[in-house]
Amino acid sequence: MTSRPIKPWWQAGPFAAVFLLFFIIPLALVVMVSFWDFNEYELLPGFTLKSYLSVFEGCSHLTETGDLCVTLSTYLSTLKFCLLVWGITLVLGFTVAYFLAFHVRSAGLQTALFILCTIPFWTSNVIRMISWVPMLGRNGVVNGALMGLGLVDQPVEWLLFSSFSVVLAFVHLYTMFMIVPIFNSMMRIDRSLLEAASDAGASAWQTLWAVIVPLCKSGILIGSIFVVTIVMGDFVTIGTMGGQQIASVGKIIQVQTSYLQFPLAAANAVVLLVTVLMIIWGLTRVVDIRKEL
Amino acid sequence: MQTREGRAPGFWPLAIVFGLFVAFMYGPMFVIFLLSFQGPEGGLTFPMRGFSLHWFRSLAAGLGTVDIGAAFLRSLMLGLVVMALTVLLSVPAGLAFRKKLRGGNALFYVTVASLVMPSIVVSLGIGLQFRLIDTGMKWLLGAVGAQDLLDNYGTALGLFSSALGAHLTWTLPFGLLTMFAVFNRFNPAYEEAARDLGATPWQGFVHVVLPLIAPPVIGVGMFGFTLSWDEIARTSQAIGDVNTLPLELQGLTSTVTTPAIYALGTVTTVVSFLVIGLAFGLGLLLRRRSRTVSP
């Protein structure tokens, strides 16, 4: 054997080692520990389905009050946020990217407006979250404006620390993750295709649906995967903006780790992982990512 | 329907949506920037009661028990190390993918998987890994009878071990994907010319390839820094006893109820703008230099 095939691995080796050490092994450990047992102060190696049973405890039937078990209702609430945020960021991100890609004609202005959109992304997420507090609070800017205009008599209470503020913060934080990949795929569309569509008598809407949207599929998919995985695993945004009142899958895992219940947290992480992978798999059924790249 | 010079249908409604989006992105930030200059009697909301640097001074004096200065330095150090490692690891990896790399496909999929993995899962995994390392180390030290070492042993979790690793699983995929984009557009004729003139692979890289790809490489480093500077979810379970600035900030959001927290927000924002401004300036400088060198 010659030494040729080895050489590139000298270059990629350190990079690969990081992922082996800090990604592959930790994930394997999560799966392994999810089958372990534990007591108050230590982990007990072994094989038991106890953690999984406890994750799904009571999920085979409705409770006496007609509610779902904790795990299912938490997942449903997280999925609800996921769907809402995905829908809003997709429509908003697509519209902004469409405007930048097809309606702004000068390349210089296009770059300038694009950078304008990315600047808030440089500010800390926590800062961007708490910046909604003076906007939405009881005596906040929005309530002040509403009362000043005489639209409401007393401050609107559901603006802050509610599902509304959680969704708003997600949209504020992560619409960029939609804009960037969609804008990228829009910029790669051959402009003569649009002229051809218009020559063939297509209206602007028909061009949008029949030409632009199909050609942006990969961008839409990449953006969607980002938004879905971020919202599904989130505990910071839902915690801070929900006033620590709204349960989420990520929050459960975080609380269980803080009580050192690692096998429980690991079992929850495995369930979360499987759920997210199923969503991504479903998305890639719609779009073949490898063909699009 | 319309003349060539006229705006396409839908321009103005779309322009209005875009304008509202920009206002939505900047509005809240501007509000806390303004409120951080609140007078000493002012609170977390409008109206402003005077205009002062009071809350910046109270920030400098410290916020309760939390040492913000130390957290700031920790985040800065970590961010710089992450930045350097992101560049030093993703550029060679990008080069390796241009050749025949056995197992390259698998490495690519692992990288993408790391990018789309929910952060809490990665964080939990790394935290768990280092706790098991701790258990193993303690057992080992006990078994060899090194009682002194055992008594002093704290934890392997730390800023430059577990937290650094957690950050790299987030920044390296962005680095590699950027390098892919760079090398897709890279013209290999330059390298061939260098080789024909007798340059060694190393000389070819340093004198030909590197100057050409310098601006995006700086971009990778800058992106690595900002991702690390802001990271919470991946650090949360993988940091150990000390905290980074975003983690301290997150804790402060529930305990500090004065505009000092907005002053802190303004300061951290200014820092990231400075870093990005510096990187941009450097990138422009390099681009200008490479333009004057090449005909």
Side-chain angles (χ1 to χ4, degrees), chain A residues 166-184:
Chain A
V166 171
V167 173
L168 193 72
F170 271 130
V171 170
H172 191 227
L173 291 172
Y174 300 121
T175 302
M176 243 0 251
F177 280 110
M178 280 288 190
I179 296 179
V180 173
I182 296 179
F183 179 74
N184 259 335

Side-chain angles (χ1 to χ4, degrees), chain B residues 78-198:
Chain B
L78 182 60
L80 291 174
V81 173
V82 169
M83 178 172 90
L85 282 178
T86 306
V87 169
L88 288 176
L89 296 178
S90 23
V91 173
L95 287 168
F97 271 98
R98 297 172 75 205
K99 304 172 197 164
K100 221 170 83 185
L101 184 67
R102 207 176 289 175
N105 247 343
L107 183 58
F108 174 72
Y109 280 116
V110 167
T111 313
V112 171
S114 172
L115 194 61
V116 303
M117 185 66 53
S119 299
I120 183 83
V121 179
V122 180
S123 178
L124 172 68
I126 295 176
L128 206 51
Q129 178 188 21
F130 277 76
R131 266 162 230 277
L132 293 174
I133 291 176
D134 284 347
T135 314
M137 280 300 286
K138 281 177 189 158
W139 177 85
L140 198 70
L141 289 175
V144 298
Q147 197 57 44
D148 286 356
L149 285 172
L150 181 61
D151 290 342
N152 290 322
Y153 186 83
T155 173
L157 281 158
L159 199 60
F160 293 106
S161 56
S162 49
L164 176 64
H167 281 208
L168 288 176
T169 63
W170 182 226
T171 60
L172 285 180
F174 283 104
L176 186 68
L177 293 180
T178 312
M179 292 327 292
F180 278 2
V182 169
F183 286 126
N184 269 343
R185 276 177 285 168
F186 189 79
N187 187 354
Y190 293 112
E191 285 167 288
E192 277 162 34
R195 215 175 306 138
D196 290 346
L197 291 169

Side-chain angles (χ1 to χ4, degrees), chain A residues 191-210:
Chain A
R191 294 301 188 266
S192 59
L193 289 175
L194 304 183
E195 273 173 42
S198 138
D199 288 347
S203 70
W205 275 109
Q206 283 171 323
T207 313
L208 182 67
W209 280 114

Side-chain angles (χ1 to χ4, degrees), chain A residues 8-9 11 14 21 26 95 116 119 122-128 130-131 134 172 229 254 257 262 273 290, chain B residues 14 24-26 28 89 96 99 102 109 116-117 124 128-129 131 230 232 237 253 262 265 269 272-273 276:
Chain A
W9 272 107
Q11 295 175 311
L21 264 178
T95 312
L116 187 73
I119 288 173
W122 300 342
T123 307
S124 156
N125 277 354
V126 178
I127 300 297
R128 290 173 71 196
I130 60 166
S131 69
H172 191 227
T229 47
Q254 194 225 358
T257 12
F262 285 106
L273 193 54
R290 261 175 297 174
Chain B
L14 283 167
F24 169 68
M25 295 306 275
Y26 283 84
L89 296 178
K99 304 172 197 164
R102 207 176 289 175
Y109 280 116
V116 303
M117 185 66 53
L124 172 68
L128 206 51
Q129 178 188 21
R131 266 162 230 277
D230 195 22
I232 294 181
Q237 317 301 322
T253 56
Y262 297 157
T269 305
S272 36
F273 274 61
I276 287 155

Side-chain angles (χ1 to χ4, degrees), chain A residues 10-29:
Chain A
W10 281 109
Q11 295 175 311
F15 183 93
V18 169
F19 284 98
L20 180 69
L21 264 178
F22 294 106
F23 185 67
I24 308 269
I25 293 177
L27 280 190
L29 288 176

Side-chain angles (χ1 to χ4, degrees), chain B residues 28-29 32 41 45 74 85 87 97 116-117 132 143 153 156 168 180 218 243 249-250 255 258 270 275 280 287 295:
Chain B
M29 253 169 69
I32 71 155
E41 278 88 47
T45 51
R74 276 196 292 270
L85 282 178
V87 169
F97 271 98
V116 303
M117 185 66 53
L132 293 174
Y153 186 83
L168 288 176
F180 278 2
I218 289 174
N243 272 341
L249 263 175
Q250 201 217 339
T255 55
T258 64
V270 167
V275 170
F280 252 127
R287 190 172 293 177

Side-chain angles (χ1 to χ4, degrees), chain A residues 3-230:
Chain A
S3 63
R4 270 190 81 84
I6 300 169
K7 219 177 135 210
W9 272 107
W10 281 109
Q11 295 175 311
F15 183 93
V18 169
F19 284 98
L20 180 69
L21 264 178
F22 294 106
F23 185 67
I24 308 269
I25 293 177
L27 280 190
L29 288 176
V30 167
V31 176
M32 182 177 88
V33 170
S34 73
F35 294 108
W36 282 15
D37 204 351
F38 66 101
N39 57 29
E40 287 83 15
Y41 51 93
E42 64 178 344
L43 295 170
L44 306 169
F47 183 88
T48 167
L49 291 172
K50 252 162 110 175
S51 301
Y52 287 95
L53 288 176
S54 122
V55 168
F56 290 108
E57 203 181 328
C59 289
S60 56
H61 53 80
L62 294 178
T63 59
E64 284 155 23
T65 48
D67 295 325
L68 291 164
C69 63
V70 179
T71 301
L72 282 184
S73 57
T74 310
Y75 268 89
L76 276 182
S77 130
T78 313
L79 279 171
K80 181 193 79 187
F81 282 123
C82 197
L83 208 65
L84 268 172
V85 173
W86 176 72
I88 297 171
T89 52
L90 178 59
V91 172
L92 189 60
F94 189 90
T95 312
V96 169
Y98 178 78
F99 174 75
L100 285 177
F102 295 113
H103 282 273
V104 178
R105 287 180 190 160
S106 111
L109 187 62
Q110 206 170 43
T111 315
L113 289 180
F114 186 77
I115 291 176
L116 187 73
C117 289
T118 57
I119 288 173
F121 185 67
W122 300 342
T123 307
S124 156
N125 277 354
V126 178
I127 300 297
R128 290 173 71 196
M129 264 179 241
I130 60 166
S131 69
W132 282 106
V133 174
M135 294 290 283
L136 302 176
R138 270 200 67 136
N139 304 309
V141 176
V142 173
N143 267 323
L146 287 176
M147 303 229 302
L149 291 170
L151 289 173
V152 292
D153 298 331
Q154 50 192 21
V156 182
E157 298 280 354
W158 53 260
L159 287 176
L160 192 59
F161 303 138
S162 60
S163 301
F164 171 78
S165 56
V166 171
V167 173
L168 193 72
F170 271 130
V171 170
H172 191 227
L173 291 172
Y174 300 121
T175 302
M176 243 0 251
F177 280 110
M178 280 288 190
I179 296 179
V180 173
I182 296 179
F183 179 74
N184 259 335
S185 48
M186 278 179 177
M187 291 308 283
R188 275 190 283 173
I189 295 176
D190 188 345
R191 294 301 188 266
S192 59
L193 289 175
L194 304 183
E195 273 173 42
S198 138
D199 288 347
S203 70
W205 275 109
Q206 283 171 323
T207 313
L208 182 67
W209 280 114
V211 182
I212 297 176
V213 170
L215 289 174
C216 291
K217 266 191 197 164
S218 62
I220 292 173
L221 180 74
I222 293 171
S224 303
I225 290 177
F226 264 118
V227 170
V228 165
T229 47
I230 286 171

